[in-house]
Amino acid sequence: MSRKNDLKFGRGKSVILLTIVGFIFLYTPIIVLIIYSFNYSRFSSTWGGWSLQWYYKLFDDSSMWLAIKNSLLIGIVSTIFATILGTMSALVIKRFVFKTKTLFTNLLFVPIVIPEIVLGILLLLLYNLIKLELGLTSIILAHITFSIPFVTLVVLNNLKNFDSTIEEVGMDLGATPWQIFWKITFPNISTGILAGALLAFTLSIEDFTITFFTSGPGATTLPLKIYSMIKFGITPEINAISTLLVLFTTIILGVMYFILNKQEKKILT
Amino acid sequence: MLELISLSKKYGNFKAVNNLNLVVKEGEFFSLLGPSGCGKTTTLRLIAGFEQPTSGKIQLNGKDITELPPFQRNINTVFQHFALFPHLSAFNNIAFGLRIKKKKENEIKQQVTEMLKFVSLEGKSDSLPNQLSGGQQQRVALARALINQPSILLLDEPLGALDEKLRDQMQVELSNLQKKVGITFIFVTHNQEEALTMADRIAVMKDGTIDHLGTPDEIYLKPSSTFTASFIGNTNLFKCVIETKTENSLMLRTENNFVFEKFDASGDNIVGKNLTISLRPEQIRLSRNNPHKNENGLKGIIKNEIFYGDMSIFWVTVLENIRVAVSMQNYVASENVSKPFQEGEEVFICWDKKSGHLITE
Ligand SMILES: Nc1ncnc2c1ncn2[C@@H]1O[C@H](COP(=O)(O)OP(=O)(O)OP(=O)(O)O)[C@@H](O)[C@H]1O
Ligand SMILES: [Mg+2]
């Protein structure tokens, strides 16, 4: 909720210029990437006219399909579990009072701020210790682990607007705790849960570092596949698949924005 | 019949409800009245079952319900800020209790429609709570509780969130509705006017216990403590001691050595006893002339007049620095309020020797 004010900061020409430079810096690589995915020429140094051939080639590649399938499977399964566990912990944290609440909310940030590579190594060590074979299962477990705090934070934020006296009303009207959750709590925080789930899903689909550490033979995900392709030189195929990834995440972010925005409007009216 | 027996609720070492005893009769409009923080909401939450008492018992129609969870008590609550389900329409809000009881859908439809009519919200059945006005939300909250036909309806300051006009209107509607349905209402408020106008009986609470329990008349005219006397309406309190006594009259001496007569036939007042007399502003009149024979009088100076439109309160200083409030109805001929007394004027304050209520503490 930004608000216009009369302060001078942010109005000077140099500030505007810097902002524009910043945006160019941010978006040039993405735009170049997208344009070159349509390049007919095999080499990114020359422009050979528009073409969709790299996309066709992509869809003919069976190992690419396998990677996409793995990514989607991991994404869906880990999202389901992370959403359930993350939502549950948000509901529990909400019930805590003062100090415990602050403690647990801060604890949530730890996995978010420690470097991914460290988390990846830690998980690898853990899986070795418990003799878990590396593969789809280990990746899914790892993705659940790093997604939970994100889901929890999104749901917690949503719960701030939730007046828990309506749960008491439910109890007053004869509902059991189970009925209260499904008929009262859930419908009122479902947008938060959905936003959390979408976030978890995008994080899972895009993750490289942690997946790299916890994957095993036959469990190649899309980012891992792209990385292995790069080893043999940057081909327009990589541009094509990256463009699709960008498109995919943009859509998800757009949906998330739409949901949260709609909900905010509902609260304000 | 609801009985609270030696009920206490502690938060840490703080006694929010302190050894409270209370009997609420069936079909009664009962009000819990008291200042903020005296334990009204806590008492209500104990009755509803949202809180467990630290000690004591709650009985409903002779059955001990202290241990029962809220959803097994035949008691419903209307919350202070209505707490409607924001995701459900007015219809579905009201239907909630019936759905939980797994009533048949056509039965629900019929009962809810009747209920909507009862609270005059026929056209609003599909509206979401945020599309309803405060008064309409209030009525949905009422209907949602009433449709379960509880033996007792608890209302926690249900009019607190409404503006004054609407509140006056809802006060009337609420007491009419209570008479119509005949359900016991326990109504919490810190607004004494609300309690006086609506309740059959009032319990004035202070520090987690009941200070005075009685009908509105009793509580207003014969408060048992100075706390109740000053909490209900305005009053002037004077500490005095009984100087002499005849068969039906006392001579009282105030702390400032002002001696006056008070007719009193009760036998328990003996010479030397300390008392407080409560004189309501409407029991005192202003006069430029000496008091009548059956009146006590004191000379004073009008410090200020507070104009309320229909009436005014005059603050008069007597005996050097004692402030006394005197109320007077304003007589309005044409557009001008005639002002019989001016600020700064010297007057007598007069009260009948029968007037005033004696409080022993
Ligand atoms: N959960 C709690 N923990 C600790 N103290 C509490 C709790 N609930 C209430 N209290 C304390 O108990 C006292 C009584 O509270 P209660 O809510 O019953 O007051 P009330 O009479 O309803 O006041 P109001 O008119 O302001 O609503 C207050 O001093 C309050 O601070
Ligand atoms: Mg209260």
Side-chain angles (χ1 to χ4, degrees):
Chain A
M1 267 179 273
S2 63
R3 200 180 282 219
K4 283 192 182 139
N5 59 34
D6 288 335
L7 297 178
K8 287 280 182 293
F9 189 77
R11 289 195 163 184
K13 283 212 174 72
S14 53
V15 177
I16 294 174
L17 198 71
L18 271 178
T19 314
I20 292 173
V21 171
F23 271 87
I24 293 175
F25 202 73
L26 265 175
Y27 281 95
T28 311
I30 298 177
I31 292 166
V32 169
L33 175 113
I34 293 173
I35 292 174
Y36 272 88
S37 72
F38 298 106
N39 188 1
Y40 184 80
S41 164
R42 174 157 254 307
F43 306 101
S44 45
S45 48
T46 50
W47 178 255
W50 296 97
S51 153
L52 278 177
Q53 65 161 322
W54 304 112
Y55 286 89
Y56 292 131
K57 201 155 175 241
L58 205 62
F59 291 123
D60 277 344
D61 184 348
S62 66
S63 67
M64 182 62 77
W65 277 112
L66 184 66
I68 291 175
K69 211 185 84 192
N70 281 342
S71 272
L72 286 178
L73 179 74
I74 293 166
I76 290 168
V77 177
S78 70
T79 297
I80 291 173
F81 282 96
T83 305
I84 294 172
L85 294 171
T87 304
M88 271 163 48
S89 47
L91 288 170
V92 172
I93 289 175
K94 159 105 171 169
R95 297 223 185 325
F96 286 152
V97 285
F98 313 116
K99 277 191 183 153
T100 340
K101 193 175 202 160
T102 325
L103 174 73
F104 273 83
T105 318
N106 287 332
L107 276 179
L108 275 177
F109 281 103
V110 177
I112 293 178
V113 295
I114 55 171
E116 272 196 39
I117 190 160
V118 176
L119 195 57
I121 293 170
L122 288 177
L123 288 171
L124 179 62
L125 288 176
L126 176 72
Y127 297 157
N128 266 334
L129 200 69
I130 60 171
K131 302 212 162 47
L132 179 77
E133 204 177 316
L134 296 184
L136 283 180
T137 321
S138 60
I139 300 177
I140 289 174
L141 285 177
H143 283 205
I144 294 173
T145 311
F146 75 70
S147 298
I148 287 176
F150 288 97
V151 176
T152 309
L153 284 176
V154 173
V155 177
L156 260 184
N157 195 46
N158 197 250
L159 274 171
K160 272 192 205 140
N161 300 321
F162 178 71
D163 173 14
S164 47
T165 43
I166 63 173
E167 292 176 323
E168 280 185 355
V169 176
M171 212 192 295
D172 192 73
L173 294 171
T176 59
W178 187 248
Q179 288 171 316
I180 289 171
F181 178 78
W182 285 111
K183 285 176 189 270
I184 299 169
T185 318
F186 181 75
N188 281 293
I189 61 168
S190 57
T191 47
I193 295 175
L194 187 60
L198 286 176
L199 185 61
F201 190 61
T202 358
L203 287 173
S204 165
I205 292 286
E206 298 187 326
D207 181 74
F208 174 76
T209 318
I210 292 173
T211 316
F212 182 77
F213 280 97
T214 51
S215 75
T220 304
T221 65
L222 200 51
L224 292 186
K225 171 79 184 160
I226 294 173
Y227 176 72
S228 70
M229 283 161 73
I230 288 178
K231 282 196 210 149
F232 305 105
I234 300 174
T235 62
E237 271 167 289
I238 294 175
N239 285 0
I241 185 72
S242 305
T243 302
L244 291 179
L245 259 181
V246 168
L247 186 71
F248 180 74
T249 37
T250 312
I251 290 174
I252 291 195
L253 285 178
V255 171
M256 223 168 101
Y257 179 80
F258 178 75
I259 292 170
L260 291 179
N261 204 31
K262 205 172 103 189
Q263 194 205 7
E264 194 156 290
K265 274 207 197 105
K266 213 167 85 190
I267 289 164
L268 290 180
T269 48
Chain B
M1 192 172 74
L2 177 79
E3 289 166 278
L4 308 184
I5 303 157
S6 314
L7 204 62
S8 292
K9 175 71 187 176
K10 276 194 193 173
Y11 291 114
N13 273 327
F14 178 75
K15 287 179 184 153
V17 173
N18 189 5
N19 196 21
L20 186 132
N21 287 290
L22 180 64
V23 176
V24 179
K25 291 178 247 171
E26 198 155 339
E28 188 172 34
F29 198 130
F30 192 90
S31 179
L32 282 175
L33 175 66
S36 188
C38 70
K40 306 180 296 287
T41 299
T42 309
T43 308
L44 220 57
R45 291 173 63 82
L46 287 168
I47 300 173
F50 296 131
E51 309 274 354
Q52 275 296 309
T54 316
S55 62
K57 258 198 322 190
I58 303 173
Q59 290 190 345
L60 181 59
N61 301 326
K63 218 182 84 202
D64 189 342
I65 60 162
T66 320
E67 306 279 323
L68 284 187
F71 53 88
Q72 283 172 14
R73 303 184 181 198
N74 194 12
I75 295 174
N76 285 115
T77 311
V78 175
F79 289 77
Q80 179 160 11
H81 295 285
F82 318 143
L84 297 179
F85 303 125
H87 60 296
L88 298 180
S89 65
F91 183 98
N92 287 325
N93 260 282
I94 299 172
F96 193 90
L98 299 180
R99 294 238 159 87
I100 292 293
K101 284 184 196 135
K102 303 236 154 47
K103 288 266 165 66
K104 285 201 198 76
E105 203 53 35
N106 55 354
E107 216 174 301
I108 292 177
K109 178 139 204 251
Q110 184 213 333
Q111 283 192 42
V112 175
T113 312
E114 253 170 48
M115 206 28 129
L116 278 164
K117 207 154 135 200
F118 187 65
V119 295
S120 342
L121 284 174
E122 290 105 321
K124 297 286 175 190
S125 78
D126 294 331
S127 305
L128 288 173
N130 62 15
Q131 297 165 330
L132 296 171
S133 73
Q136 291 167 339
Q137 290 183 33
Q138 164 72 72
R139 277 175 282 171
V140 174
L142 261 172
R144 180 175 65 180
L146 282 175
I147 203 162
N148 303 292
Q149 300 177 320
S151 7
I152 299 178
L153 187 69
L154 307 174
L155 304 103
D156 192 357
E157 310 208 18
L159 308 179
L162 304 179
D163 65 55
E164 206 163 320
K165 257 281 174 50
L166 196 55
R167 192 157 57 209
D168 288 349
Q169 187 192 332
M170 288 302 294
Q171 280 177 15
V172 179
E173 282 186 28
L174 210 56
S175 29
N176 288 343
L177 187 137
Q178 195 267 342
K179 287 193 193 87
K180 226 174 355 176
V181 292
I183 293 173
T184 312
F185 274 31
I186 301 182
F187 183 95
V188 160
T189 178
H190 60 240
N191 181 331
Q192 36 116 356
E193 181 206 308
E194 224 164 74
L196 288 176
T197 50
M198 293 197 285
D200 297 326
R201 285 195 309 152
I202 300 172
V204 180
M205 281 186 74
K206 181 196 177 192
D207 300 335
T209 47
I210 291 172
D211 191 74
H212 187 181
L213 194 153
T215 64
D217 288 8
E218 282 165 5
I219 281 186
Y220 188 76
L221 298 172
K222 293 176 183 153
S224 62
S225 70
T226 52
F227 173 79
T228 298
S230 51
F231 188 72
I232 310 286
N234 295 315
T235 193
N236 300 292
L237 297 172
F238 302 103
K239 282 197 178 133
C240 22
V241 60
I242 301 176
E243 183 126 307
T244 56
K245 176 183 161 99
T246 63
E247 196 183 337
N248 44 24
S249 148
L250 304 169
M251 291 306 284
L252 301 170
R253 178 188 292 278
T254 68
E255 284 173 321
N256 317 64
N257 290 319
F258 168 65
V259 181
F260 65 98
E261 191 172 8
K262 161 88 174 96
F263 293 152
D264 178 74
S266 75
D268 13 314
N269 290 322
I270 48 166
V271 174
K273 187 173 169 189
N274 287 306
L275 296 165
T276 304
I277 184 161
S278 154
L279 275 169
R280 299 276 179 198
E282 67 271 24
Q283 289 176 314
I284 310 177
R285 69 180 184 94
L286 297 180
S287 165
R288 293 204 178 85
N289 310 316
N290 286 327
H292 302 313
K293 221 174 80 217
N294 60 337
E295 282 181 330
N296 293 300
L298 256 177
K299 211 171 232 175
I301 292 171
I302 300 178
K303 278 289 167 202
N304 31 34
E305 174 188 351
I306 301 164
F307 179 67
Y308 286 101
D310 58 339
M311 47 107 43
S312 288
I313 295 277
F314 291 86
W315 284 97
V316 183
T317 316
V318 296
L319 302 170
E320 261 134 58
N321 53 10
I322 311 246
R323 277 156 49 88
V324 178
V326 180
S327 73
M328 186 184 285
Q329 208 65 31
N330 281 321
Y331 175 69
V332 186
S334 75
E335 274 142 38
N336 298 319
V337 181
S338 57
K339 300 241 179 192
F341 295 96
Q342 309 299 321
E343 289 180 1
E345 201 177 331
E346 193 166 281
V347 287
F348 279 102
I349 60 166
C350 311
W351 68 95
D352 198 288
K353 289 177 178 171
K354 291 198 292 285
S355 289
H357 172 66
L358 296 175
I359 299 165
T360 321
E361 273 178 321

